[in-house]
Amino acid sequence: WGHGIRIFSCGMLPYCLLVLFAAIASAVASEALSWLLIYRTEEYKKLKKQIEKTAEALEKEAKLGGKQPKVKRLQEQKTEHDRDMSLLKAKSMIFIALSMGLSIGALYPWFEGKVVARLPFTPFSFLQHLSHRALLGDDFTECSMVFLFILSSMAIRPNVQKLFGNHEGGSNPAASLFSQMK
């Protein structure tokens, strides 16, 4: 940035702040709805306890060198509970997708053709279509509302999930994938 590159000009800052506010509002609305309709329900809480109980029993049996039929039955129960939990969480993902889609759809007409920020780098070619969406010219360091909204939402959402208690603490999708492959 010492080369005279300005991230915001005076005219971009209000647009940028409005997009950031919209991303925060969208994240809060979708996570609040998810918490209200999914995560606070007895069905979710019961299923979460069943998964934890089954995982503990499975771990205990594995340490004790338990009987194969019992271990197999526990693994089947855990798989069934995990599938049910995935279905519940899919509803949350639908709320998130709808919220983002509606927010982008509502903001798009206001920001069509307007630069909301200037990137300190040129995005990879496969991201340029998104980062420069609906902007005129060939300066790919100019950032569109859609790109800033998506980046902001991705950065804000995990914090909002923690705030609402919708976040699985310390869960790492890649780690859980590799633990299932053992």
Side-chain angles (χ1 to χ4, degrees), residues 39 44 48 52 85 89 161 165-172:
Y39 294 106
Y44 174 80
K48 189 173 179 180
E52 291 170 0
M85 182 63 80
K89 288 186 176 185
Q161 287 174 335
N166 300 354
H167 182 21
E168 299 293 325
S171 77
N172 181 350

Side-chain angles (χ1 to χ4, degrees), residues 53-67:
K53 184 178 169 185
T54 305
E56 288 174 12
L58 191 56
E59 186 177 321
K60 183 179 173 184
E61 284 296 319
K63 283 183 181 178
L64 296 174
K67 296 178 182 177

